[in-house]
Amino acid sequence: MSDKKSGRLVVISNRIALPGETSTGGLASAMQAALQEHGGLWFGWSGKVSSEEKLNQISHESIDYATFDLSRQDHDEFYAGFANRTLWPLLHYRLDMVDYQRSHLDGYMRTNALFADHLVKLLKPDDIVWVHDYHLIPIASMLRERGVKNRIGFFLHTPLPPAALLIVLPKHRALLETLASYDLVGLQTARDLRALEDYFVHEIGGAMRTGGRLRAADGRSFRAAVFPISIDTTLVAQTANEAESLDEIKQLHSSLADRALIIGVDRLDYSKGLPERFLGYAHLLERAPELHRQITFLQIAPTSRGVVPQYQQIRRDLERSAGHINGMYAAPDWVPIRYVNQSFPHSVLTGYYRNARVGFVTPLRDGMNLVAKEYVASQDPKDPGVLVLSRFAGAAFELPEALLINPADTAEVADALERALKMPLKERKRRWRAMMDVLEKHDLTAWRNNFLTALTNIHAESADAQA
């Protein structure tokens, strides 16, 4: 999508990356590039809690930014409540973690309406609107209620579970049926798309139409399609190559003392399969004593949502597990697990990835998992490492040359680790090249352009149909 006449791009997300702020997410870099290319507006929550209702606006390099604060009640019910204690676990197949409260749903809908109230004052008739993620599912329907006729697209960054799980959510129709108010709904994988189609057709009386369109029970139709999010492949590869000169990477080299590095990098979250990952590594140490002192597992897991009890518990469990494994197998000159609860600059992470013989990416469920893709892009083409990847990550659909595992099967995890550590260079190169070909063709720019082109074309198709 490069036609300036199509209007501004307006991006709506729960949090935005303001000028001058350090941003670590792929979404931030993708959106900033798109907004700079087309000119546009990025709108979302400021990340602050206050009683002020005013809109804060700044402009920088052809991009307008608009944010507003949330009240304490809206933050607790919308963000901490329904979004992260109800939707997040549901979307990651964790019904046992779902904490549903009617007041939280009310707060979620009320805050989405607040987003819509602010945004409707900023929109121009030819703007293209792109909404991101589970925090803002109903906002299109609220914009339509306020008379907005613009093209509106939505992209879900998380997985979408089967319809049989979705209907467990109380008042699921009041939330999920609002997806029909979008012109285009993008999902990470074909599995997620099947779940959406099944929900609309078999659970709420909708129907399939030609061209990937779904019709809701009220007659409104929309298109749903797969758009796997990706990375800036060229930039990641370049950054990893340049990282070799960093002091942090030299220190890592020195500390490893020629041991093979296994690396995991994840936000501390129960969806990431970290307890199972530790157990799989422990199983490897138990059955392959010849690998003792030959390998080191570095797990980087910055804390997130620290006020939520489940996250506090998983941190305690992992600390206990790492301590137990190190107590069992460590030697005076060797620690099997290096478990670190802090974040690192992206330039340093890519250097860590490049120096790791194994990328250890084993979420129980993940929409995509960009760490898997960044690990591959960071490798030295002459001596690439091996990706051990959960088949339940969206990335597994695009990277079948990884060693795909079920993270709940500790023996299978240990098998894959041992195979990765002993894999001949020729096979490592073959697998890496196949994955890198995918990442070079389907990078972050291609993802962004594919979605926006599809959204534009839908509008044209609709106009032709009405003519």
Side-chain angles (χ1 to χ4, degrees), residues 226-260:
V226 175
F227 300 92
I229 195 171
S230 196
I231 60 172
D232 189 335
T233 307
T234 301
L235 178 61
V236 171
Q238 178 183 339
T239 304
N241 185 46
E242 294 172 351
E244 289 298 302
S245 63
L246 296 177
D247 288 340
E248 293 93 336
I249 305 307
K250 294 176 181 177
Q251 290 164 3
L252 176 69
H253 269 303
S254 176
S255 72
L256 288 173
D258 294 327
R259 296 186 178 98

Side-chain angles (χ1 to χ4, degrees), residues 349-383:
L349 283 178
T350 59
Y352 288 168
Y353 295 147
R354 190 177 183 89
N355 284 276
R357 176 51 55 88
V358 181
F360 203 8
V361 184
T362 59
L364 302 179
R365 293 287 170 183
D366 221 335
M368 178 52 59
N369 196 294
L370 297 181
V371 167
K373 293 186 173 185
E374 292 200 341
Y375 174 78
V376 172
S378 297
Q379 294 308 297
D380 179 353
K382 298 178 182 178
D383 187 22

Side-chain angles (χ1 to χ4, degrees), residues 281-293:
Y281 180 66
H283 191 68
L284 173 68
L285 296 176
E286 179 183 0
R287 75 179 200 189
E290 72 276 8
L291 291 175
H292 293 192
R293 298 181 183 227

Side-chain angles (χ1 to χ4, degrees), residues 11 121 142 147 191 202 208 240 290 364 375 398 417 448:
V11 174
K121 302 169 188 175
M142 295 171 175
R191 181 169 54 209
H202 297 114
M208 291 290 299
E290 72 276 8
L364 302 179
Y375 174 78
E398 296 181 273
L417 287 175
R448 181 187 79 225

Side-chain angles (χ1 to χ4, degrees), residues 238-414:
Q238 178 183 339
T239 304
N241 185 46
E242 294 172 351
E244 289 298 302
S245 63
L246 296 177
D247 288 340
E248 293 93 336
I249 305 307
K250 294 176 181 177
Q251 290 164 3
L252 176 69
H253 269 303
S254 176
S255 72
L256 288 173
D258 294 327
R259 296 186 178 98
L261 178 65
I262 302 169
I263 192 167
V265 177
D266 308 81
R267 187 168 54 81
L268 192 61
D269 188 280
Y270 49 76
S271 67
K272 300 301 184 180
L274 296 177
E276 292 81 2
R277 188 179 307 176
F278 281 25
L279 289 175
Y281 180 66
H283 191 68
L284 173 68
L285 296 176
E286 179 183 0
R287 75 179 200 189
E290 72 276 8
L291 291 175
H292 293 192
R293 298 181 183 227
Q294 304 303 309
I295 59 176
T296 293
F297 172 28
L298 170 61
Q299 176 62 58
I300 297 172
T303 55
S304 67
R305 302 171 189 159
V307 298
V308 179
Q310 293 96 326
Y311 291 85
Q312 296 170 348
Q313 184 61 48
I314 192 173
R315 181 171 182 174
R316 288 192 293 268
D317 290 346
L318 289 172
E319 289 169 351
R320 188 180 304 115
S321 179
H324 175 72
I325 293 169
N326 284 336
M328 285 279 291
Y329 299 105
D333 61 343
W334 174 60
V335 178
I337 293 185
R338 303 178 185 183
Y339 174 51
V340 182
N341 282 131
Q342 67 183 72
S343 58
F344 295 87
H346 189 252
S347 57
V348 174
L349 283 178
T350 59
Y352 288 168
Y353 295 147
R354 190 177 183 89
N355 284 276
R357 176 51 55 88
V358 181
F360 203 8
V361 184
T362 59
L364 302 179
R365 293 287 170 183
D366 221 335
M368 178 52 59
N369 196 294
L370 297 181
V371 167
K373 293 186 173 185
E374 292 200 341
Y375 174 78
V376 172
S378 297
Q379 294 308 297
D380 179 353
K382 298 178 182 178
D383 187 22
V386 181
L387 177 62
V388 173
L389 178 63
S390 166
R391 62 183 70 253
F392 305 124
F397 285 80
E398 296 181 273
L399 305 176
E401 292 80 13
L403 299 184
L404 300 181
I405 54 92
N406 181 339
D409 187 339
T410 55
E412 186 176 57
V413 173

Side-chain angles (χ1 to χ4, degrees), residues 445-461:
T445 300
W447 168 76
R448 181 187 79 225
N449 288 340
N450 289 342
F451 187 95
L452 292 175
T453 298
L455 183 55
T456 303
N457 290 342
I458 283 172
H459 184 69
E461 293 164 4

